[in-house]
Amino acid sequence: MNKEEMYLKELLSCFLSMDTKIKLPNEVDSEALWELMKRQGVALSFDHYVQFNRAISLSNKLNREANEEAYYRMFREMSSVFRNLEGKGIPYVVTKGMYTALLGYPRSGDRLFNDIDLLIDAMDEEEAISILISQGFSQGVYSREKNVLIPIPRQNQIFFSAFTHQTAPFRKALNNFRMRYMTVDVNHHILWGECMEDFKSLSIRDFITHRKPMEYAGVKFWGLLCEYGFIHIALHLYNDLNSLNILHTAKSYNLRGFLDAYLFIKNNDLDWAVIEEYCAREKLSKYVYYVLTMTGKVFDDESLQYLIKRPVDYTSDFENSFGLHESERRLWRHTLWERIFSPDREVLLAPYLQPADIAKINYNNKFIQLGV
């Protein structure tokens, strides 16, 4: 690790315990530290705790405000979608980005996200899609040159629905110079495509019943009760840390994912008995415990390991390996911090991959790249 990486690791170990802004030591290059934080998706969060120079502080302020302006615009556009879902009696919840930003972060603009995620039971998906289309959304890729959405091929739409936990993204052109379009992801499961066959008993319709009313920018919508929101955050992070399709990208082992989990735990009064009972019933305990353990290591907070009981099927090999399916599981030969601060995730992952893994990644990318 270089000086800036070592200092960021040190800052993580005392995160949330800083009463006043920390002044950076002379040996730490503030510009290099800031660039590192931006790559890791945590620059705006640390802006509340670290005393940067005036130029960096101003840039952080402007970026935070720009994020909040974009979120305001997205939610105003979504208001008619929410009303129609409610009117049709379709249960849904908003998850991931905005949900996490509102319930975990000091300011919603501290967390960058580029889409609105809806969780809807698969039985309601067709009607929900009809509502999105009626409100000007379509499954397309934005063309900057033509300033239009170009429809994605039908086979890409089928791939998303058949092999992933969501539909191909829906987009709507906004014709705003700061925000050309917005994206809505319709999720029909809280797990990943590789394992959904093993969790057929897990009812998304039941999961969605654990919800509460929320509001942003004057727009009312439904979000998960915090216990179930954390379960979804943890499963989403587990996927990012284990999926072959994500591991070779900058999205995996990005500090923002760990920060999402940590801030949500620390800023919400969670009933861990409820979390433990649901996870045990649906056989999700080892995935959630994995996220608690890894997040505790990032923030040097061992207390996270005792929030729920260590599952009997949680082994050291499971903790120190990756892969969403047992046929893909590989033991890590790189440390946690080597993974987090790796300058090139493709190079990092290459020695672990077998020809079948590479073929899967290439096949999936052929469909996903046109859909994201």
Side-chain angles (χ1 to χ4, degrees), residues 22 24 81 121 176 181 185 199 203 215 226 239 257 264 292 316:
I22 291 179
L24 296 177
V81 174
D121 185 82
N176 180 282
Y181 66 93
D185 287 336
F199 293 90
S203 167
E215 183 173 338
C226 289
N239 179 61
F264 200 89
L292 289 172
S316 59

Side-chain angles (χ1 to χ4, degrees), residues 62-81:
L62 293 175
N63 286 333
R64 183 182 294 111
E65 290 174 352
N67 289 345
E68 290 176 348
E69 181 181 332
Y71 306 159
Y72 178 88
R73 181 70 186 272
M74 284 194 285
F75 268 77
R76 298 301 296 181
E77 291 289 340
M78 285 296 292
S79 60
S80 59
V81 174

Side-chain angles (χ1 to χ4, degrees), residues 257-276:
F258 295 109
L259 187 63
D260 282 352
Y262 196 61
L263 286 177
F264 200 89
I265 291 169
K266 295 299 183 179
N267 290 324
N268 292 281
D269 185 17
L270 301 176
D271 187 335
W272 289 98
V274 170
I275 294 172
E276 190 166 40

Side-chain angles (χ1 to χ4, degrees), residues 145-344:
E145 294 78 16
K146 298 179 181 180
N147 193 32
V148 296
L149 289 173
I150 300 174
I152 65 172
R154 178 62 180 161
Q155 59 264 34
N156 293 72
Q157 298 178 28
I158 294 171
F159 174 86
F160 270 88
S161 296
F163 298 109
T164 77
H165 60 280
Q166 66 175 79
T167 64
F170 283 84
R171 295 190 172 93
K172 182 177 183 178
L174 299 181
N175 298 317
N176 180 282
F177 80 98
R178 295 190 70 170
M179 191 179 186
R180 298 294 183 180
Y181 66 93
M182 65 171 291
T183 302
V184 175
D185 287 336
V186 180
N187 300 268
H188 49 250
H189 214 287
I190 60 174
L191 291 168
W192 36 90
E194 287 84 347
C195 294
M196 282 192 288
E197 281 294 309
D198 300 328
F199 293 90
K200 287 184 177 180
S201 64
L202 196 159
S203 167
I204 296 303
R205 184 170 290 276
D206 172 70
F207 190 78
I208 294 171
T209 63
H210 304 287
R211 62 179 188 167
K212 63 181 180 180
M214 296 179 66
E215 183 173 338
Y216 182 77
V219 177
K220 296 180 179 180
F221 60 95
W222 290 95
L224 290 166
L225 293 173
C226 289
E227 288 74 19
Y228 296 86
F230 175 75
I231 292 170
H232 195 204
I233 289 168
L235 294 175
H236 182 61
L237 179 54
Y238 180 85
N239 179 61
D240 285 353
L241 298 176
N242 284 272
S243 168
L244 295 182
N245 293 318
I246 299 174
L247 272 169
H248 71 290
T249 72
K251 182 181 178 183
S252 187
Y253 278 95
N254 185 279
L255 285 175
R256 191 192 71 177
F258 295 109
L259 187 63
D260 282 352
Y262 196 61
L263 286 177
F264 200 89
I265 291 169
K266 295 299 183 179
N267 290 324
N268 292 281
D269 185 17
L270 301 176
D271 187 335
W272 289 98
V274 170
I275 294 172
E276 190 166 40
E277 188 277 331
Y278 182 86
C279 290
R281 186 174 77 240
E282 301 298 343
K283 300 179 175 60
L284 302 173
S285 300
K286 69 177 180 179
Y287 307 116
V288 173
Y289 193 82
Y290 173 93
V291 168
L292 289 172
T293 300
M294 301 305 285
T295 302
K297 289 182 177 181
V298 169
F299 290 92
D300 194 22
D301 188 344
E302 293 185 356
S303 68
L304 270 60
Q305 297 179 53
Y306 305 104
L307 294 173
I308 64 173
K309 294 177 184 176
R310 182 186 177 103
V312 294
D313 58 347
Y314 188 84
T315 65
S316 59
D317 279 356
F318 179 79
E319 181 177 305
N320 296 305
S321 62
F322 66 88
L324 293 179
H325 194 272
E326 288 307 311
S327 63
E328 300 172 346
R329 191 159 291 280
R330 309 281 187 273
L331 281 172
W332 279 113
R333 298 189 296 275
H334 291 82
T335 68
L336 171 61
W337 293 103
E338 285 173 334
R339 290 171 243 164
I340 290 172
F341 291 133
S342 170
D344 191 321

